[in-house]
Amino acid sequence: MEQAGCHQWIWPFEPMEYMGNQFFISKNAVIKAERRILKELGFCVHVKHPHKLITTYLQILDNEKNKKLVQLAWNYMNDSLRSNVFLRYSPEAIACACIHIAARKLKDQVPLPSNPPWYFLFDVSLDEIEMVSYTILSLYNRKRRSPAELEQCVAKAKESITGKKGDDMDGISSANSPATSGVSPRPGMVFSAFAVCFFICF
């Protein structure tokens, strides 16, 4: 019963009534969540994806005809979206790391220029490549979660948010309300819970 309830909360089977109460409640919740996420990101939402850099770099290295290398590096790039490397490293470093891993994972390892090191051409250091590579490869050591476990994780996050919201509302008095004090109760609470749930579950 709990799984069914959680499942219904994530993927409702019945469409909500247009312009109904639930519609406006959900709409306002989404808008508030988007605003809090944008605030946490500092309204910096422009992301330079390094997918195109892989093809460009392999062309410069005269390896664009190696289809296996291109495909494997592209696969590592797609898998890296499940990690936080896009927030920590430059697109150039991520692209070089994917090429670095792919060149060593192939049965017939692809020799890359070492004198001088090929990644110097793209203004990337060996330390950056190693750190990004370690983060990407660590994804494959994670235990695979079942849908039931993911639903329980999301349900716990929802209960945590609801409980904290209830505690905050109980502690707010008319004399010490956000309207009078100018302080809003924990503006980053929803985003923090979402981020924790995402990195734990996925």
Side-chain angles (χ1 to χ4, degrees):
M1 295 298 293
E2 293 180 0
Q3 292 183 0
C6 182
H7 194 276
Q8 186 176 4
W9 175 67
I10 300 175
W11 299 288
F13 296 102
E14 297 181 2
M16 65 180 66
E17 181 183 356
Y18 181 66
M19 301 301 287
N21 291 333
Q22 187 61 37
F23 171 81
F24 285 108
I25 292 173
S26 301
K27 177 183 176 181
N28 291 333
V30 170
I31 293 175
K32 289 180 180 179
E34 288 179 347
R35 289 175 179 172
R36 291 177 179 177
I37 293 174
L38 287 172
K39 182 179 178 182
E40 293 291 337
L41 295 175
F43 291 88
C44 181
V45 295
H46 175 71
V47 179
K48 181 181 178 182
H49 291 286
H51 286 77
K52 293 182 179 180
L53 295 180
I54 290 180
T55 305
T56 303
Y57 288 178
L58 290 176
Q59 288 176 349
I60 296 174
L61 297 171
D62 294 330
N63 283 304
E64 74 278 4
K65 295 182 180 180
N66 191 332
K67 300 301 181 181
K68 292 183 178 179
L69 177 63
V70 176
Q71 184 62 57
L72 188 57
W74 195 274
N75 292 344
Y76 282 120
M77 178 66 67
N78 290 335
D79 291 343
S80 67
L81 291 170
R82 299 177 56 214
S83 68
N84 58 358
V85 294
F86 287 87
L87 301 176
R88 298 168 55 195
Y89 301 98
S90 65
E92 292 78 12
I94 300 172
C96 288
C98 292
I99 295 174
H100 174 79
I101 300 172
R104 282 154 180 74
K105 283 292 182 179
L106 290 175
K107 292 182 178 180
D108 299 328
Q109 292 191 2
V110 179
L112 296 174
S114 59
N115 189 19
W118 61 276
Y119 43 83
F120 282 2
L121 184 62
F122 311 116
D123 196 22
V124 178
S125 66
L126 180 60
D127 291 338
E128 290 177 308
I129 291 178
E130 290 179 346
M131 291 301 298
V132 175
S133 300
Y134 176 80
T135 304
I136 295 175
L137 292 176
S138 64
L139 293 172
Y140 305 103
N141 295 327
R142 291 183 180 180
K143 180 182 177 181
R144 195 177 184 91
R145 297 292 189 97
S146 65
E149 290 177 328
L150 297 178
E151 290 176 359
Q152 290 178 0
C153 184
V154 174
K156 288 181 180 179
K158 180 185 177 184
E159 291 176 0
S160 176
I161 294 171
T162 305
K164 289 181 179 180
K165 183 177 180 180
D167 294 340
D168 291 338
M169 294 302 294
D170 293 339
I172 296 175
S173 62
S174 59
N176 190 23
S177 64
T180 57
S181 62
V183 179
S184 59
R186 302 180 184 178
M189 182 176 60
V190 174
F191 176 76
S192 299
F194 170 78
V196 170
C197 176
F198 177 81
F199 285 111
I200 290 177
C201 294
F202 297 96

